[in-house]
């Protein structure tokens, strides 16, 4: 069980997926946890999720933690499958909440928000990482090698 969780093939593809997904998701998590990148910080983010979006407190915490710490874990390739799963679930729900806006992002400012195309890309990347693990240059690979020895 533990071996399967950390196991991965020596491949650059998951590395690029990890870094790309982490670079896109970290600022969103940092907005919610630290108030960076023009964000509102923990209390306001929790207030929005719980009181406006009406998510249970536990799921709101999981979403925020997944974005912030999950993206850091992806850069390191540590607990890649778990981190990718958390981000994938969070982005799938976020994409679902954008379904009424439509598919396309709001490039020209003529929509009532952003579409869900970004979410499809992020969820696809996350699913690939859940299935294949962290790949080359991941701490998961290093741990897996030590467990097998």
């Amino acid at each position: 069980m533990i071996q399967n969780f950390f196991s991965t093939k020596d491949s650059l593809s998951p590395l690029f997926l990890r870094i790309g997904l982490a670079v896109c998701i970290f600022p969103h998590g940092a907005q919610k946890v630290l108030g960076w990148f023009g964000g509102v910080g923990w209390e306001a983010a929790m207030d929005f999720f719980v009181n406006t979006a009406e998510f249970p407190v536990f799921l709101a915490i999981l979403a925020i933690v997944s974005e912030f710490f999950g993206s850091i874990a992806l850069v390191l390739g540590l607990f890649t499958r778990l981190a990718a799963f958390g981000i994938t679930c969070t982005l799938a729900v976020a994409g679902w909440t954008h379904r009424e806006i439509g598919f396309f992002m709001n490039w020209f400012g003529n929509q009532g928000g952003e579409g869900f195309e970004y979410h499809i890309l992020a969820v696809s990347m996350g699913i690939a990482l859940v299935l294949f693990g962290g790949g080359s240059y991941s701490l998961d690979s290093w741990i897996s090698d030590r467990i097998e020895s």
Side-chain angles (χ1 to χ4, degrees), residues 9-82:
K9 293 195 186 305
D10 191 26
S11 171
L12 291 175
S13 297
L15 170 67
F16 291 119
L17 291 171
R18 285 187 358 241
I19 299 302
L21 188 56
V23 165
C24 289
I25 300 302
F26 177 78
H28 294 280
Q31 284 179 318
K32 295 172 185 80
V33 172
L34 304 171
W36 292 1
F37 305 103
V40 296
W42 179 265
E43 288 181 30
M46 283 297 294
D47 180 62
F48 171 79
F49 280 130
V50 173
N51 296 318
T52 303
E54 299 180 344
F55 290 131
V57 171
F58 179 69
L59 293 180
I61 291 170
L62 278 178
I64 294 170
V65 166
S66 292
E67 286 184 358
F68 185 73
F69 292 107
S71 58
I72 294 169
L74 288 181
V75 168
L76 299 173
L78 181 62
F79 305 118
T80 300
R81 287 184 167 91
L82 178 63

Side-chain angles (χ1 to χ4, degrees), residues 4-5 7-9 14 80-81 84-85 88 124-134:
N4 290 336
F5 179 76
S7 68
T8 186
K9 293 195 186 305
T80 300
R81 287 184 167 91
F85 180 76
T88 298
S124 298
M125 294 169 77
I127 290 170
L129 290 168
V130 168
L131 293 175
F132 299 111

Side-chain angles (χ1 to χ4, degrees), residues 93-107:
V93 170
W96 183 256
T97 66
H98 290 232
R99 72 190 181 283
E100 293 178 6
I101 297 167
F103 179 78
F104 294 102
M105 295 187 69
N106 194 12
W107 293 106

